[in-house]
Tab-separated table of all heavy atoms in Angstrom:
chain	number	residue	atom	x	y	z
K	112	LEU	N	11.281	-12.560	20.461
K	112	LEU	CA	10.257	-13.452	21.015
K	112	LEU	C	9.753	-12.996	22.373
K	112	LEU	O	8.553	-13.088	22.653
K	112	LEU	CB	10.778	-14.884	21.073
K	112	LEU	CG	10.964	-15.560	19.711
K	112	LEU	CD1	11.598	-16.931	19.887
K	112	LEU	CD2	9.661	-15.653	18.955
K	113	ALA	N	10.633	-12.507	23.232
K	113	ALA	CA	10.193	-12.021	24.549
K	113	ALA	C	9.262	-10.822	24.386
K	113	ALA	O	8.224	-10.733	25.063
K	113	ALA	CB	11.397	-11.661	25.419
K	114	GLU	N	9.590	-9.908	23.495
K	114	GLU	CA	8.748	-8.730	23.243
K	114	GLU	C	7.389	-9.145	22.687
K	114	GLU	O	6.347	-8.612	23.088
K	114	GLU	CB	9.455	-7.787	22.267
K	114	GLU	CG	8.608	-6.612	21.841
K	114	GLU	CD	9.224	-5.785	20.708
K	114	GLU	OE1	10.346	-6.086	20.268
K	114	GLU	OE2	8.543	-4.838	20.274
K	115	LEU	N	7.379	-10.106	21.759
K	115	LEU	CA	6.123	-10.549	21.156
K	115	LEU	C	5.266	-11.298	22.169
K	115	LEU	O	4.040	-11.146	22.185
K	115	LEU	CB	6.404	-11.418	19.929
K	115	LEU	CG	7.117	-10.711	18.783
K	115	LEU	CD1	7.445	-11.700	17.674
K	115	LEU	CD2	6.306	-9.535	18.259
K	116	SER	N	5.900	-12.097	23.030
K	116	SER	CA	5.161	-12.797	24.077
K	116	SER	C	4.533	-11.802	25.046
K	116	SER	O	3.380	-11.967	25.462
K	116	SER	CB	6.093	-13.762	24.818
K	116	SER	OG	6.571	-14.761	23.931
K	117	ALA	N	5.264	-10.749	25.390
K	117	ALA	CA	4.728	-9.700	26.268
K	117	ALA	C	3.545	-8.999	25.604
K	117	ALA	O	2.552	-8.667	26.270
K	117	ALA	CB	5.824	-8.700	26.626
K	118	LEU	N	3.617	-8.788	24.293
K	118	LEU	CA	2.507	-8.184	23.561
K	118	LEU	C	1.279	-9.078	23.645
K	118	LEU	O	0.162	-8.586	23.877
K	118	LEU	CB	2.900	-7.959	22.091
K	118	LEU	CG	1.854	-7.288	21.214
K	118	LEU	CD1	2.537	-6.508	20.102
K	118	LEU	CD2	0.888	-8.275	20.615
K	119	CYS	N	1.461	-10.388	23.481
K	119	CYS	CA	0.331	-11.316	23.590
K	119	CYS	C	-0.336	-11.199	24.962
K	119	CYS	O	-1.566	-11.164	25.057
K	119	CYS	CB	0.795	-12.750	23.353
K	119	CYS	SG	1.333	-13.105	21.661
K	120	LEU	N	0.460	-11.131	26.001
K	120	LEU	CA	-0.087	-11.001	27.351
K	120	LEU	C	-0.805	-9.668	27.551
K	120	LEU	O	-1.888	-9.622	28.146
K	120	LEU	CB	1.023	-11.179	28.384
K	120	LEU	CG	1.514	-12.622	28.544
K	120	LEU	CD1	2.861	-12.663	29.226
K	120	LEU	CD2	0.478	-13.452	29.297
K	121	ARG	N	-0.231	-8.568	27.054
K	121	ARG	CA	-0.899	-7.251	27.159
K	121	ARG	C	-2.232	-7.267	26.427
K	121	ARG	O	-3.233	-6.720	26.901
K	121	ARG	CB	-0.019	-6.139	26.561
K	121	ARG	CG	1.097	-5.665	27.419
K	121	ARG	CD	1.700	-4.357	26.912
K	121	ARG	NE	2.036	-4.339	25.496
K	121	ARG	CZ	3.159	-4.829	24.968
K	121	ARG	NH1	4.050	-5.415	25.740
K	121	ARG	NH2	3.374	-4.742	23.672
K	122	SER	N	-2.238	-7.877	25.263
K	122	SER	CA	-3.452	-7.930	24.464
K	122	SER	C	-4.535	-8.753	25.165
K	122	SER	O	-5.695	-8.343	25.225
K	122	SER	CB	-3.125	-8.524	23.087
K	122	SER	OG	-4.264	-8.585	22.270
K	123	LYS	N	-4.156	-9.898	25.709
K	123	LYS	CA	-5.117	-10.748	26.428
K	123	LYS	C	-5.662	-10.019	27.659
K	123	LYS	O	-6.855	-10.071	27.954
K	123	LYS	CB	-4.430	-12.055	26.833
K	123	LYS	CG	-5.314	-13.048	27.528
K	123	LYS	CD	-6.164	-13.771	26.542
K	123	LYS	CE	-6.808	-15.002	27.164
K	123	LYS	NZ	-7.641	-15.684	26.165
K	124	ALA	N	-4.776	-9.321	28.370
K	124	ALA	CA	-5.170	-8.599	29.577
K	124	ALA	C	-6.154	-7.477	29.272
K	124	ALA	O	-6.915	-7.051	30.152
K	124	ALA	CB	-3.933	-8.043	30.284
K	125	TRP	N	-6.178	-6.997	28.045
K	125	TRP	CA	-7.084	-5.930	27.632
K	125	TRP	C	-8.545	-6.309	27.916
K	125	TRP	O	-9.382	-5.446	28.153
K	125	TRP	CB	-6.869	-5.637	26.142
K	125	TRP	CG	-7.636	-4.467	25.632
K	125	TRP	CD1	-7.306	-3.152	25.751
K	125	TRP	CD2	-8.876	-4.495	24.910
K	125	TRP	NE1	-8.260	-2.364	25.147
K	125	TRP	CE2	-9.233	-3.169	24.619
K	125	TRP	CE3	-9.704	-5.523	24.484
K	125	TRP	CZ2	-10.379	-2.849	23.922
K	125	TRP	CZ3	-10.863	-5.191	23.787
K	125	TRP	CH2	-11.178	-3.866	23.520
K	126	TRP	N	-8.837	-7.626	27.936
K	126	TRP	CA	-10.203	-8.090	28.185
K	126	TRP	C	-10.568	-8.031	29.660
K	126	TRP	O	-11.675	-8.414	30.035
K	126	TRP	CB	-10.389	-9.510	27.641
K	126	TRP	CG	-10.259	-9.583	26.159
K	126	TRP	CD1	-9.215	-10.112	25.448
K	126	TRP	CD2	-11.183	-9.087	25.189
K	126	TRP	NE1	-9.435	-9.966	24.105
K	126	TRP	CE2	-10.641	-9.343	23.905
K	126	TRP	CE3	-12.418	-8.450	25.267
K	126	TRP	CZ2	-11.291	-8.988	22.729
K	126	TRP	CZ3	-13.065	-8.098	24.088
K	126	TRP	CH2	-12.499	-8.360	22.841
K	127	GLY	N	-9.651	-7.579	30.520
K	127	GLY	CA	-9.981	-7.368	31.924
K	127	GLY	C	-9.683	-8.542	32.846
K	127	GLY	O	-10.164	-8.563	33.977
K	128	TYR	N	-8.879	-9.487	32.407
K	128	TYR	CA	-8.541	-10.628	33.257
K	128	TYR	C	-7.621	-10.210	34.395
K	128	TYR	O	-6.807	-9.305	34.240
K	128	TYR	CB	-7.876	-11.730	32.427
K	128	TYR	CG	-8.783	-12.302	31.372
K	128	TYR	CD1	-8.487	-12.163	30.019
K	128	TYR	CD2	-9.945	-12.984	31.718
K	128	TYR	CE1	-9.318	-12.697	29.044
K	128	TYR	CE2	-10.787	-13.510	30.744
K	128	TYR	CZ	-10.464	-13.366	29.408
K	128	TYR	OH	-11.291	-13.886	28.453
K	129	ASP	N	-7.732	-10.906	35.535
K	129	ASP	CA	-6.892	-10.581	36.684
K	129	ASP	C	-5.503	-11.203	36.554
K	129	ASP	O	-5.246	-12.006	35.644
K	129	ASP	CB	-7.570	-10.970	37.997
K	129	ASP	CG	-7.786	-12.475	38.160
K	129	ASP	OD1	-7.055	-13.289	37.545
K	129	ASP	OD2	-8.692	-12.850	38.928
K	130	ASP	N	-4.619	-10.833	37.468
K	130	ASP	CA	-3.224	-11.281	37.411
K	130	ASP	C	-3.095	-12.801	37.492
K	130	ASP	O	-2.261	-13.393	36.811
K	130	ASP	CB	-2.409	-10.632	38.532
K	130	ASP	CG	-2.207	-9.139	38.325
K	130	ASP	OD1	-2.398	-8.657	37.191
K	130	ASP	OD2	-1.861	-8.453	39.307
K	131	GLU	N	-3.902	-13.432	38.317
K	131	GLU	CA	-3.835	-14.888	38.463
K	131	GLU	C	-4.193	-15.582	37.148
K	131	GLU	O	-3.533	-16.528	36.720
K	131	GLU	CB	-4.777	-15.343	39.585
K	131	GLU	CG	-4.738	-16.831	39.846
K	131	GLU	CD	-5.680	-17.252	40.971
K	131	GLU	OE1	-6.201	-16.387	41.700
K	131	GLU	OE2	-5.887	-18.462	41.104
K	132	PHE	N	-5.242	-15.103	36.508
K	132	PHE	CA	-5.655	-15.657	35.220
K	132	PHE	C	-4.547	-15.475	34.185
K	132	PHE	O	-4.200	-16.399	33.455
K	132	PHE	CB	-6.944	-14.967	34.748
K	132	PHE	CG	-7.464	-15.481	33.434
K	132	PHE	CD1	-8.445	-16.464	33.401
K	132	PHE	CD2	-6.979	-14.986	32.227
K	132	PHE	CE1	-8.922	-16.945	32.189
K	132	PHE	CE2	-7.452	-15.459	31.018
K	132	PHE	CZ	-8.430	-16.436	30.997
K	133	MET	N	-3.983	-14.278	34.152
K	133	MET	CA	-2.939	-13.982	33.166
K	133	MET	C	-1.702	-14.851	33.388
K	133	MET	O	-1.089	-15.320	32.428
K	133	MET	CB	-2.576	-12.494	33.205
K	133	MET	CG	-3.697	-11.583	32.714
K	133	MET	SD	-4.305	-12.016	31.059
K	133	MET	CE	-2.793	-11.905	30.114
K	134	GLU	N	-1.357	-15.079	34.633
K	134	GLU	CA	-0.196	-15.934	34.921
K	134	GLU	C	-0.462	-17.360	34.448
K	134	GLU	O	0.426	-18.026	33.921
K	134	GLU	CB	0.154	-15.901	36.410
K	134	GLU	CG	1.468	-16.541	36.730
K	134	GLU	CD	2.661	-15.966	35.974
K	134	GLU	OE1	2.731	-14.739	35.758
K	134	GLU	OE2	3.545	-16.766	35.581
K	135	ALA	N	-1.693	-17.830	34.604
K	135	ALA	CA	-2.051	-19.171	34.143
K	135	ALA	C	-1.953	-19.293	32.625
K	135	ALA	O	-1.723	-20.378	32.096
K	135	ALA	CB	-3.462	-19.524	34.612
K	136	CYS	N	-2.094	-18.174	31.917
K	136	CYS	CA	-2.040	-18.161	30.446
K	136	CYS	C	-0.639	-17.909	29.891
K	136	CYS	O	-0.422	-18.028	28.692
K	136	CYS	CB	-2.967	-17.072	29.901
K	136	CYS	SG	-4.708	-17.347	30.251
K	137	ARG	N	0.300	-17.549	30.746
K	137	ARG	CA	1.628	-17.111	30.295
K	137	ARG	C	2.283	-18.101	29.331
K	137	ARG	O	2.754	-17.728	28.258
K	137	ARG	CB	2.547	-16.837	31.478
K	137	ARG	CG	3.940	-16.359	31.068
K	137	ARG	CD	4.799	-15.981	32.259
K	137	ARG	NE	4.210	-14.902	33.028
K	137	ARG	CZ	4.280	-13.605	32.692
K	137	ARG	NH1	4.928	-13.248	31.616
K	137	ARG	NH2	3.700	-12.696	33.446
K	138	GLU	N	2.342	-19.369	29.696
K	138	GLU	CA	3.027	-20.347	28.852
K	138	GLU	C	2.355	-20.476	27.485
K	138	GLU	O	3.021	-20.478	26.452
K	138	GLU	CB	3.082	-21.714	29.538
K	138	GLU	CG	3.863	-22.736	28.740
K	138	GLU	CD	3.970	-24.073	29.449
K	138	GLU	OE1	3.821	-24.130	30.682
K	138	GLU	OE2	4.217	-25.063	28.745
K	139	GLU	N	1.033	-20.567	27.485
K	139	GLU	CA	0.300	-20.730	26.232
K	139	GLU	C	0.440	-19.502	25.321
K	139	GLU	O	0.426	-19.622	24.096
K	139	GLU	CB	-1.182	-20.997	26.517
K	139	GLU	CG	-1.984	-21.314	25.281
K	139	GLU	CD	-3.435	-21.646	25.572
K	139	GLU	OE1	-3.912	-21.427	26.712
K	139	GLU	OE2	-4.110	-22.122	24.645
K	140	LEU	N	0.592	-18.332	25.899
K	140	LEU	CA	0.674	-17.103	25.111
K	140	LEU	C	2.097	-16.727	24.727
K	140	LEU	O	2.305	-15.751	24.012
K	140	LEU	CB	0.032	-15.944	25.876
K	140	LEU	CG	-1.458	-16.099	26.168
K	140	LEU	CD1	-1.977	-14.885	26.900
K	140	LEU	CD2	-2.248	-16.352	24.901
K	141	SER	N	3.072	-17.494	25.175
K	141	SER	CA	4.475	-17.186	24.872
K	141	SER	C	4.911	-17.865	23.576
K	141	SER	O	4.508	-18.983	23.281
K	141	SER	CB	5.373	-17.644	26.018
K	141	SER	OG	5.078	-16.906	27.186
K	142	LEU	N	5.748	-17.170	22.838
K	142	LEU	CA	6.323	-17.701	21.600
K	142	LEU	C	7.729	-18.208	21.883
K	142	LEU	O	8.469	-17.606	22.671
K	142	LEU	CB	6.364	-16.613	20.530
K	142	LEU	CG	4.995	-16.266	19.945
K	142	LEU	CD1	4.987	-14.858	19.383
K	142	LEU	CD2	4.608	-17.275	18.887
K	143	THR	N	8.097	-19.305	21.228
K	143	THR	CA	9.398	-19.930	21.430
K	143	THR	C	10.152	-20.043	20.111
K	143	THR	O	9.537	-19.941	19.035
K	143	THR	CB	9.227	-21.343	22.010
K	143	THR	OG1	8.623	-22.182	21.002
K	143	THR	CG2	8.375	-21.342	23.278
K	144	PRO	N	11.452	-20.282	20.157
K	144	PRO	CA	12.193	-20.522	18.919
K	144	PRO	C	11.594	-21.678	18.110
K	144	PRO	O	11.566	-21.637	16.874
K	144	PRO	CB	13.605	-20.853	19.399
K	144	PRO	CG	13.734	-20.119	20.696
K	144	PRO	CD	12.363	-20.231	21.325
K	145	GLY	N	11.092	-22.697	18.798
K	145	GLY	CA	10.452	-23.814	18.099
K	145	GLY	C	9.236	-23.388	17.293
K	145	GLY	O	8.958	-23.953	16.225
K	146	ASP	N	8.502	-22.386	17.792
K	146	ASP	CA	7.348	-21.871	17.047
K	146	ASP	C	7.785	-21.300	15.703
K	146	ASP	O	7.087	-21.459	14.692
K	146	ASP	CB	6.617	-20.785	17.843
K	146	ASP	CG	5.897	-21.330	19.058
K	146	ASP	OD1	5.396	-22.470	19.013
K	146	ASP	OD2	5.838	-20.604	20.072
K	147	LEU	N	8.923	-20.632	15.687
K	147	LEU	CA	9.414	-20.047	14.434
K	147	LEU	C	9.832	-21.116	13.442
K	147	LEU	O	9.803	-20.890	12.234
K	147	LEU	CB	10.580	-19.097	14.712
K	147	LEU	CG	10.290	-17.897	15.603
K	147	LEU	CD1	11.520	-17.017	15.721
K	147	LEU	CD2	9.100	-17.098	15.103
K	148	GLU	N	10.220	-22.274	13.951
K	148	GLU	CA	10.640	-23.372	13.079
K	148	GLU	C	9.458	-24.182	12.552
K	148	GLU	O	9.507	-24.678	11.426
K	148	GLU	CB	11.588	-24.296	13.841
K	148	GLU	CG	12.901	-23.645	14.216
K	148	GLU	CD	13.743	-24.498	15.150
K	148	GLU	OE1	13.416	-25.689	15.336
K	148	GLU	OE2	14.716	-23.965	15.702
K	149	SER	N	8.404	-24.327	13.348
K	149	SER	CA	7.320	-25.237	12.987
K	149	SER	C	6.041	-24.566	12.504
K	149	SER	O	5.150	-25.244	11.984
K	149	SER	CB	6.994	-26.143	14.177
K	149	SER	OG	6.513	-25.374	15.268
K	150	THR	N	5.927	-23.253	12.678
K	150	THR	CA	4.718	-22.534	12.284
K	150	THR	C	5.105	-21.230	11.588
K	150	THR	O	6.259	-20.810	11.636
K	150	THR	CB	3.831	-22.203	13.506
K	150	THR	OG1	4.542	-21.319	14.378
K	150	THR	CG2	3.424	-23.457	14.266
K	151	ALA	N	4.137	-20.592	10.981
K	151	ALA	CA	4.348	-19.271	10.387
K	151	ALA	C	3.981	-18.225	11.428
K	151	ALA	O	2.871	-18.234	11.970
K	151	ALA	CB	3.479	-19.104	9.146
K	152	VAL	N	4.931	-17.342	11.734
K	152	VAL	CA	4.705	-16.288	12.726
K	152	VAL	C	5.032	-14.953	12.065
K	152	VAL	O	6.143	-14.755	11.575
K	152	VAL	CB	5.566	-16.479	13.991
K	152	VAL	CG1	5.271	-15.382	15.014
K	152	VAL	CG2	5.333	-17.858	14.611
K	153	ALA	N	4.057	-14.064	12.059
K	153	ALA	CA	4.229	-12.757	11.426
K	153	ALA	C	4.069	-11.639	12.437
K	153	ALA	O	3.323	-11.754	13.413
K	153	ALA	CB	3.208	-12.567	10.312
K	154	VAL	N	4.781	-10.554	12.164
K	154	VAL	CA	4.732	-9.353	12.980
K	154	VAL	C	4.217	-8.217	12.111
K	154	VAL	O	4.655	-8.062	10.962
K	154	VAL	CB	6.144	-9.010	13.516
K	154	VAL	CG1	6.156	-7.677	14.223
K	154	VAL	CG2	6.642	-10.119	14.424
K	155	LEU	N	3.304	-7.429	12.637
K	155	LEU	CA	2.853	-6.217	11.980
K	155	LEU	C	3.528	-5.060	12.693
K	155	LEU	O	3.350	-4.887	13.903
K	155	LEU	CB	1.331	-6.082	12.063
K	155	LEU	CG	0.730	-4.841	11.413
K	155	LEU	CD1	0.966	-4.841	9.906
K	155	LEU	CD2	-0.760	-4.759	11.724
K	156	ALA	N	4.340	-4.305	11.956
K	156	ALA	CA	5.125	-3.239	12.594
K	156	ALA	C	5.234	-2.028	11.695
K	156	ALA	O	5.134	-2.114	10.472
K	156	ALA	CB	6.524	-3.757	12.941
K	157	ASP	N	5.456	-0.912	12.339
K	157	ASP	CA	5.746	0.345	11.669
K	157	ASP	C	7.131	0.746	12.152
K	157	ASP	O	7.263	1.335	13.233
K	157	ASP	CB	4.698	1.396	12.045
K	157	ASP	CG	4.911	2.716	11.338
K	157	ASP	OD1	5.743	2.771	10.412
K	157	ASP	OD2	4.230	3.692	11.705
K	158	GLY	N	8.143	0.358	11.389
K	158	GLY	CA	9.509	0.578	11.844
K	158	GLY	C	9.787	-0.307	13.038
K	158	GLY	O	9.673	-1.523	12.955
K	159	THR	N	10.106	0.285	14.172
K	159	THR	CA	10.404	-0.495	15.374
K	159	THR	C	9.187	-0.686	16.265
K	159	THR	O	9.242	-1.437	17.233
K	159	THR	CB	11.518	0.188	16.197
K	159	THR	OG1	11.068	1.494	16.565
K	159	THR	CG2	12.808	0.270	15.405
């Protein structure tokens, strides 16, 4: 979950947002154990 949350932040930052904006989005872009229980969460991966 920590790795996937970091990926969400990297992806969002790709649009050129500044650090302050990204910090404001951190909670909304983070995945939690509860998300895995209540929603469908998929990963696209090639090995690791």
Side-chain angles (χ1 to χ4, degrees):
L112 291 175
E114 174 189 357
L115 297 175
S116 297
L118 182 151
C119 292
L120 287 162
R121 282 194 311 277
S122 181
K123 182 79 166 180
W125 186 81
W126 295 107
Y128 297 116
D129 65 25
D130 291 343
E131 182 180 348
F132 181 96
M133 292 306 303
E134 191 56 38
C136 296
R137 181 175 300 280
E138 184 177 338
E139 186 177 12
L140 297 181
S141 295
L142 287 155
T143 68
D146 290 326
L147 299 183
E148 294 171 12
S149 64
T150 63
V152 182
V154 173
L155 180 64
D157 182 10
T159 60

